[in-house]
Coordinates of all heavy atoms in Angstrom, one line a residue:
M1 N 8.3 7.1 12.5 CA 7.3 7.1 11.4 C 6.7 5.6 11.3 O 7.0 4.9 10.4 CB 8.0 7.5 10.1 CG 9.3 6.8 9.9 SD 10.0 7.3 8.4 CE 11.6 6.6 8.6
P2 N 5.8 5.3 12.3 CA 5.2 4.0 12.2 C 4.3 3.7 11.1 O 3.6 4.7 10.7 CB 4.5 3.9 13.6 CG 4.3 5.3 14.0 CD 5.3 6.1 13.3
V3 N 4.3 2.5 10.6 CA 3.4 2.1 9.5 C 2.5 1.0 10.1 O 3.0 0.0 10.6 CB 4.1 1.6 8.3 CG1 3.2 1.1 7.2 CG2 5.0 2.7 7.7
T4 N 1.2 1.3 10.0 CA 0.2 0.3 10.5 C -0.8 -0.1 9.4 O -0.9 0.6 8.4 CB -0.5 0.9 11.7 OG1 -1.1 2.1 11.3 CG2 0.4 1.2 12.9
L5 N -1.5 -1.2 9.7 CA -2.6 -1.6 8.8 C -3.8 -0.7 9.0 O -4.0 -0.2 10.1 CB -3.0 -3.0 9.1 CG -2.1 -4.2 8.6 CD1 -2.7 -5.5 9.1 CD2 -2.1 -4.2 7.1
N6 N -4.5 -0.5 8.0 CA -5.8 0.2 8.1 C -6.6 -0.5 9.2 O -6.7 -1.7 9.2 CB -6.5 0.0 6.7 CG -7.8 0.9 6.6 OD1 -8.4 1.2 7.6 ND2 -8.0 1.4 5.4
P7 N -7.2 0.3 10.1 CA -8.0 -0.3 11.2 C -9.3 -0.9 10.7 O -9.9 -1.7 11.4 CB -8.3 0.9 12.1 CG -8.0 2.1 11.3 CD -7.0 1.8 10.2
D8 N -9.7 -0.7 9.4 CA -10.9 -1.3 8.9 C -10.5 -2.7 8.4 O -9.9 -2.9 7.3 CB -11.3 -0.4 7.7 CG -12.6 -0.9 7.0 OD1 -12.9 -2.1 7.1 OD2 -13.3 -0.1 6.4
A9 N -10.9 -3.7 9.2 CA -10.5 -5.1 8.9 C -11.1 -5.6 7.6 O -10.4 -6.4 6.9 CB -11.0 -6.0 10.0
E10 N -12.2 -5.1 7.2 CA -12.8 -5.6 5.9 C -12.0 -5.0 4.7 O -11.8 -5.7 3.8 CB -14.3 -5.1 5.9 CG -15.0 -5.4 4.6 CD -15.2 -6.9 4.3 OE1 -14.9 -7.7 5.3 OE2 -15.5 -7.3 3.2
M11 N -11.6 -3.8 4.8 CA -10.8 -3.2 3.8 C -9.5 -4.0 3.7 O -9.0 -4.3 2.6 CB -10.5 -1.7 4.2 CG -9.6 -1.0 3.2 SD -10.6 -0.5 1.8 CE -10.8 1.2 2.2
V12 N -8.9 -4.3 4.8 CA -7.6 -5.1 4.8 C -7.8 -6.4 4.2 O -7.0 -6.9 3.3 CB -7.1 -5.2 6.3 CG1 -5.9 -6.2 6.3 CG2 -6.6 -3.9 6.8
R13 N -8.9 -7.1 4.5 CA -9.2 -8.4 4.0 C -9.3 -8.3 2.4 O -8.7 -9.2 1.7 CB -10.5 -8.9 4.6 CG -10.8 -10.4 4.2 CD -12.2 -10.8 4.7 NE -13.3 -10.1 4.0 CZ -13.7 -10.4 2.7 NH1 -13.1 -11.3 2.0 NH2 -14.7 -9.7 2.2
V14 N -10.1 -7.4 1.9 CA -10.3 -7.2 0.5 C -9.0 -7.0 -0.2 O -8.7 -7.6 -1.3 CB -11.3 -6.1 0.2 CG1 -11.4 -5.8 -1.3 CG2 -12.7 -6.5 0.7
I15 N -8.2 -6.1 0.3 CA -6.9 -5.7 -0.4 C -5.9 -6.9 -0.3 O -5.2 -7.2 -1.3 CB -6.2 -4.5 0.2 CG1 -7.2 -3.3 0.1 CG2 -4.9 -4.2 -0.4 CD1 -6.8 -2.1 0.9
K16 N -5.9 -7.6 0.8 CA -5.0 -8.8 0.9 C -5.4 -9.9 -0.1 O -4.6 -10.6 -0.6 CB -5.0 -9.3 2.3 CG -4.1 -8.4 3.2 CD -3.8 -9.1 4.5 CE -2.6 -8.3 5.2 NZ -2.3 -8.8 6.6
E17 N -6.7 -10.1 -0.2 CA -7.2 -11.0 -1.3 C -6.7 -10.6 -2.6 O -6.3 -11.4 -3.4 CB -8.7 -11.0 -1.3 CG -9.3 -12.1 -0.4 CD -10.9 -12.1 -0.4 OE1 -11.4 -11.6 -1.4 OE2 -11.4 -12.6 0.5
G18 N -6.8 -9.3 -2.9 CA -6.3 -8.8 -4.2 C -4.8 -9.0 -4.4 O -4.4 -9.4 -5.4
L19 N -4.1 -8.9 -3.3 CA -2.6 -9.1 -3.4 C -2.3 -10.6 -3.7 O -1.4 -10.9 -4.4 CB -1.9 -8.7 -2.1 CG -1.7 -7.1 -2.0 CD1 -1.4 -6.8 -0.5 CD2 -0.6 -6.6 -2.9
E20 N -3.1 -11.5 -3.1 CA -2.9 -12.9 -3.3 C -3.3 -13.2 -4.8 O -2.6 -14.0 -5.4 CB -3.8 -13.7 -2.4 CG -3.2 -14.0 -1.1 CD -4.1 -14.8 -0.2 OE1 -4.8 -15.7 -0.7 OE2 -4.1 -14.6 1.1
R21 N -4.3 -12.6 -5.3 CA -4.7 -12.8 -6.7 C -3.7 -12.4 -7.6 O -3.4 -13.0 -8.7 CB -6.0 -12.1 -6.9 CG -6.8 -12.5 -8.1 CD -8.1 -11.7 -8.3 NE -7.9 -10.3 -8.4 CZ -8.3 -9.4 -7.5 NH1 -9.0 -9.7 -6.5 NH2 -8.1 -8.1 -7.7
T22 N -3.0 -11.3 -7.3 CA -2.0 -10.7 -8.3 C -0.6 -11.3 -8.0 O 0.3 -10.9 -8.8 CB -2.0 -9.2 -8.2 OG1 -1.5 -8.9 -6.9 CG2 -3.3 -8.6 -8.5
G23 N -0.4 -12.0 -7.0 CA 1.0 -12.5 -6.7 C 1.8 -11.4 -6.1 O 3.0 -11.4 -6.2
G24 N 1.1 -10.5 -5.4 CA 1.9 -9.5 -4.6 C 1.9 -8.1 -5.3 O 2.5 -7.2 -4.7
Y25 N 1.4 -8.0 -6.5 CA 1.4 -6.7 -7.2 C 0.2 -5.9 -6.7 O -0.9 -6.5 -6.4 CB 1.3 -6.9 -8.7 CG 2.6 -7.4 -9.2 CD1 2.7 -8.8 -9.5 CD2 3.7 -6.6 -9.4 CE1 3.9 -9.3 -9.9 CE2 4.9 -7.1 -9.8 CZ 5.0 -8.5 -10.1 OH 6.2 -9.0 -10.5
C26 N 0.3 -4.6 -6.7 CA -0.7 -3.7 -6.2 C -2.0 -4.0 -6.9 O -2.2 -3.8 -8.1 CB -0.3 -2.2 -6.4 SG -1.3 -1.1 -5.6
P27 N -3.0 -4.4 -6.1 CA -4.3 -4.7 -6.7 C -5.1 -3.5 -7.2 O -6.1 -3.6 -7.9 CB -5.1 -5.4 -5.5 CG -4.4 -4.9 -4.3 CD -3.0 -4.6 -4.6
C28 N -4.6 -2.3 -6.8 CA -5.3 -1.1 -7.3 C -4.8 -0.5 -8.5 O -5.2 0.5 -9.0 CB -5.2 0.0 -6.2 SG -5.7 -0.6 -4.5
R29 N -3.8 -1.2 -9.1 CA -3.2 -0.7 -10.3 C -3.1 -1.8 -11.4 O -3.1 -3.0 -11.0 CB -1.8 -0.2 -10.0 CG -1.7 1.0 -9.1 CD -0.3 1.3 -8.7 NE -0.1 2.6 -8.2 CZ 0.3 2.8 -6.9 NH1 0.5 1.8 -6.1 NH2 0.5 4.0 -6.5
T30 N -3.0 -1.4 -12.6 CA -3.0 -2.4 -13.7 C -1.6 -2.9 -14.0 O -1.4 -4.0 -14.5 CB -3.6 -1.9 -15.0 OG1 -3.0 -0.7 -15.3 CG2 -5.1 -1.7 -14.8
Q31 N -0.6 -2.1 -13.7 CA 0.8 -2.4 -14.1 C 1.3 -3.6 -13.2 O 1.0 -3.6 -12.0 CB 1.8 -1.2 -13.9 CG 1.4 -0.1 -14.8 CD 0.6 1.0 -14.0 OE1 -0.2 0.6 -13.1 NE2 0.7 2.2 -14.4
R32 N 2.0 -4.5 -13.8 CA 2.6 -5.6 -13.0 C 4.1 -5.5 -13.1 O 4.8 -6.3 -13.7 CB 2.1 -6.9 -13.5 CG 0.6 -7.1 -13.4 CD 0.2 -7.4 -11.9 NE -1.2 -7.5 -11.8 CZ -2.0 -6.5 -11.3 NH1 -1.5 -5.3 -11.0 NH2 -3.3 -6.7 -11.2
T33 N 4.7 -4.4 -12.5 CA 6.1 -4.2 -12.6 C 6.6 -4.1 -11.2 O 5.9 -4.0 -10.2 CB 6.5 -2.9 -13.3 OG1 5.9 -1.8 -12.6 CG2 5.9 -2.9 -14.7
E34 N 8.0 -4.2 -11.0 CA 8.6 -4.2 -9.7 C 8.2 -2.9 -8.9 O 8.0 -3.0 -7.7 CB 10.1 -4.2 -9.9 CG 10.9 -4.6 -8.6 CD 10.3 -5.8 -7.9 OE1 9.9 -6.8 -8.5 OE2 10.2 -5.7 -6.6
E35 N 8.0 -1.8 -9.6 CA 7.6 -0.6 -9.0 C 6.3 -0.7 -8.2 O 6.0 0.0 -7.2 CB 7.5 0.5 -10.1 CG 7.2 1.8 -9.6 CD 7.2 2.9 -10.7 OE1 7.7 2.6 -11.8 OE2 6.6 4.0 -10.5
Y36 N 5.4 -1.6 -8.7 CA 4.1 -1.8 -8.1 C 4.0 -3.1 -7.3 O 2.9 -3.5 -7.0 CB 3.0 -1.7 -9.2 CG 3.0 -0.3 -9.8 CD1 3.4 -0.1 -11.2 CD2 2.6 0.8 -9.1 CE1 3.4 1.1 -11.7 CE2 2.6 2.0 -9.6 CZ 3.0 2.2 -10.9 OH 3.0 3.5 -11.5
H37 N 5.1 -3.7 -7.0 CA 5.1 -4.9 -6.1 C 5.0 -4.3 -4.7 O 5.8 -3.5 -4.3 CB 6.3 -5.8 -6.3 CG 6.1 -7.2 -5.8 ND1 6.4 -7.5 -4.6 CD2 5.6 -8.2 -6.5 CE1 6.1 -8.8 -4.4 NE2 5.6 -9.3 -5.6
C38 N 4.0 -4.8 -3.9 CA 3.8 -4.4 -2.5 C 5.0 -4.7 -1.6 O 5.4 -5.8 -1.6 CB 2.5 -5.0 -2.0 SG 1.9 -4.2 -0.5
I39 N 5.6 -3.8 -0.9 CA 5.2 -2.4 -0.8 C 5.7 -1.6 -2.0 O 6.9 -1.6 -2.2 CB 5.7 -1.8 0.6 CG1 5.0 -2.5 1.7 CG2 5.5 -0.4 0.7 CD1 5.6 -2.2 3.1
C40 N 4.8 -0.9 -2.7 CA 5.2 -0.3 -3.9 C 6.2 0.9 -3.7 O 6.3 1.4 -2.6 CB 3.9 0.3 -4.6 SG 3.0 1.5 -3.6
K41 N 6.8 1.3 -4.8 CA 7.8 2.3 -4.7 C 7.2 3.6 -4.2 O 7.8 4.3 -3.4 CB 8.3 2.6 -6.2 CG 9.4 3.6 -6.3 CD 10.0 3.5 -7.7 CE 11.1 4.5 -7.9 NZ 10.6 5.8 -8.4
E42 N 6.0 3.9 -4.6 CA 5.3 5.2 -4.2 C 5.2 5.2 -2.7 O 5.6 6.2 -2.0 CB 3.9 5.3 -4.8 CG 3.2 6.5 -4.3 CD 1.7 6.6 -4.8 OE1 0.9 5.7 -4.3 OE2 1.5 7.4 -5.7
F43 N 4.7 4.1 -2.1 CA 4.6 4.1 -0.6 C 5.9 4.1 0.1 O 6.1 4.7 1.2 CB 3.6 3.0 -0.2 CG 3.1 3.2 1.3 CD1 2.6 4.4 1.7 CD2 3.3 2.2 2.2 CE1 2.1 4.5 3.0 CE2 2.8 2.3 3.5 CZ 2.3 3.5 3.9
R44 N 6.9 3.4 -0.5 CA 8.2 3.4 0.2 C 8.7 4.8 0.2 O 9.3 5.2 1.2 CB 9.2 2.5 -0.6 CG 9.1 1.0 -0.2 CD 10.1 0.2 -0.9 NE 9.6 -0.4 -2.1 CZ 10.1 -0.4 -3.3 NH1 11.3 0.2 -3.5 NH2 9.5 -0.9 -4.3
E45 N 8.5 5.6 -0.8 CA 9.0 7.0 -0.9 C 8.2 7.8 0.2 O 8.7 8.7 0.8 CB 8.8 7.5 -2.3 CG 9.9 7.0 -3.2 CD 9.7 7.4 -4.7 OE1 8.7 8.0 -5.0 OE2 10.5 7.0 -5.5
Q46 N 6.9 7.5 0.3 CA 6.1 8.2 1.3 C 6.5 7.9 2.7 O 6.5 8.8 3.6 CB 4.6 7.9 1.0 CG 4.1 8.5 -0.2 CD 2.7 8.0 -0.6 OE1 2.3 6.9 -0.3 NE2 1.9 8.9 -1.3
I47 N 6.9 6.6 2.9 CA 7.4 6.2 4.2 C 8.6 7.0 4.6 O 8.8 7.5 5.7 CB 7.7 4.7 4.3 CG1 6.4 3.9 4.2 CG2 8.5 4.3 5.5 CD1 6.6 2.4 4.0
N48 N 9.5 7.3 3.6 CA 10.7 8.0 3.8 C 10.6 9.5 3.8 O 11.6 10.2 4.0 CB 11.8 7.5 2.8 CG 12.2 6.1 3.0 OD1 12.3 5.7 4.2 ND2 12.5 5.4 2.0
D49 N 9.4 10.0 3.5 CA 9.2 11.4 3.4 C 8.6 11.9 4.8 O 7.5 11.6 5.1 CB 8.1 11.7 2.3 CG 7.7 13.1 2.2 OD1 8.2 13.9 3.0 OD2 6.9 13.5 1.3
P50 N 9.4 12.6 5.5 CA 9.0 13.0 6.9 C 7.8 13.9 6.9 O 7.1 14.0 7.9 CB 10.3 13.8 7.4 CG 11.3 13.8 6.3 CD 10.8 13.1 5.1
S51 N 7.4 14.5 5.8 CA 6.3 15.4 5.7 C 5.0 14.6 5.4 O 3.9 15.2 5.4 CB 6.5 16.5 4.7 OG 6.5 16.0 3.4
F52 N 5.1 13.3 5.0 CA 3.9 12.6 4.5 C 3.3 11.9 5.7 O 3.9 11.2 6.5 CB 4.3 11.5 3.5 CG 3.1 10.7 3.1 CD1 2.2 11.1 2.1 CD2 2.9 9.5 3.7 CE1 1.1 10.4 1.8 CE2 1.8 8.7 3.3 CZ 0.9 9.2 2.4
E53 N 2.0 12.0 5.8 CA 1.2 11.2 6.7 C -0.1 10.8 5.9 O -0.7 11.6 5.3 CB 0.8 12.0 7.9 CG -0.2 11.3 8.8 CD -0.2 11.7 10.3 OE1 0.3 12.8 10.6 OE2 -0.6 10.9 11.1
G54 N -0.4 9.5 6.0 CA -1.6 9.1 5.3 C -1.6 7.7 4.9 O -0.6 6.9 5.2
F55 N -2.6 7.3 4.1 CA -2.7 5.9 3.6 C -1.9 5.8 2.3 O -1.7 6.7 1.6 CB -4.2 5.6 3.3 CG -5.1 5.4 4.5 CD1 -6.0 6.4 4.9 CD2 -5.0 4.2 5.2 CE1 -6.8 6.2 6.0 CE2 -5.8 4.0 6.3 CZ -6.7 5.0 6.7
C56 N -1.5 4.5 2.1 CA -1.0 4.2 0.8 C -2.1 4.2 -0.3 O -3.3 4.3 0.1 CB -0.3 2.8 0.8 SG -1.4 1.4 0.9
H57 N -1.8 4.1 -1.5 CA -2.8 4.3 -2.6 C -4.0 3.3 -2.4 O -5.1 3.7 -2.6 CB -2.0 4.0 -3.9 CG -2.8 4.1 -5.1 ND1 -3.0 5.4 -5.7 CD2 -3.5 3.2 -5.9 CE1 -3.8 5.2 -6.8 NE2 -4.1 3.9 -6.9
C58 N -3.7 2.1 -2.0 CA -4.8 1.1 -1.8 C -5.5 1.2 -0.5 O -6.5 0.5 -0.2 CB -4.2 -0.3 -1.9 SG -3.7 -0.8 -3.5
M59 N -4.9 2.0 0.4 CA -5.4 2.2 1.8 C -5.3 0.9 2.6 O -6.0 0.7 3.6 CB -6.9 2.6 1.8 CG -7.1 4.0 1.2 SD -8.7 4.6 1.2 CE -8.9 5.0 3.0
L60 N -4.3 0.1 2.3 CA -3.9 -1.1 3.1 C -3.1 -0.6 4.4 O -3.4 -1.1 5.5 CB -3.1 -2.1 2.3 CG -2.6 -3.3 3.1 CD1 -3.8 -4.1 3.7 CD2 -1.7 -4.2 2.2
Y61 N -2.2 0.3 4.1 CA -1.3 0.8 5.2 C -1.5 2.3 5.5 O -1.9 3.0 4.6 CB 0.2 0.6 4.8 CG 0.6 -0.8 4.6 CD1 0.9 -1.2 3.3 CD2 0.7 -1.7 5.7 CE1 1.4 -2.6 3.1 CE2 1.1 -3.0 5.5 CZ 1.4 -3.4 4.2 OH 1.8 -4.7 4.0
Y62 N -1.2 2.6 6.7 CA -1.3 4.0 7.1 C 0.1 4.4 7.7 O 0.6 3.7 8.6 CB -2.4 4.3 8.2 CG -2.6 5.7 8.5 CD1 -3.4 6.5 7.7 CD2 -1.9 6.4 9.5 CE1 -3.6 7.9 7.9 CE2 -2.0 7.7 9.8 CZ -2.9 8.4 9.0 OH -3.1 9.8 9.2
K63 N 0.6 5.5 7.3 CA 1.9 6.0 7.8 C 1.6 7.2 8.7 O 1.0 8.2 8.2 CB 2.9 6.3 6.7 CG 4.2 6.7 7.2 CD 4.8 7.9 6.5 CE 5.9 8.5 7.3 NZ 6.3 9.8 6.6
S64 N 2.1 7.1 9.9 CA 2.0 8.3 10.8 C 3.3 9.0 10.8 O 4.4 8.4 10.4 CB 1.7 7.8 12.2 OG 0.7 6.9 12.3
K65 N 3.3 10.3 11.2 CA 4.6 11.1 11.2 C 5.4 10.7 12.4 O 4.9 10.2 13.4 CB 4.3 12.5 11.2 CG 4.0 13.1 9.8 CD 3.9 14.6 9.9 CE 3.3 15.2 8.6 NZ 2.9 16.6 8.7
Ligands
SF4_1 S1 -0.6 1.0 -2.6 FE1 -0.4 0.0 -0.7 S2 -1.3 -2.1 -1.0 FE2 -0.8 -1.1 -3.0 S3 1.3 -1.9 -3.4 FE3 1.4 0.1 -2.5 S4 1.7 -0.3 -0.3 FE4 0.9 -2.2 -1.3

């Protein structure tokens, strides 16, 4: 279950800028809790879910099956 960066370099650049701005919290969400510190709880669960394939909420990462 490999996890890779979005192949869209501009998207990656924008999201990484957002992560720097927030100190590592998900830039696509307003909550600043541990649950939303990148890599967020949602995507960690998706990584561990053998049936999940797709992007994380922000589309920074892509998880293949
Ligand atoms: S949605 Fe993606 S970028 Fe946002 S915190 Fe989760 S893993 Fe990181």
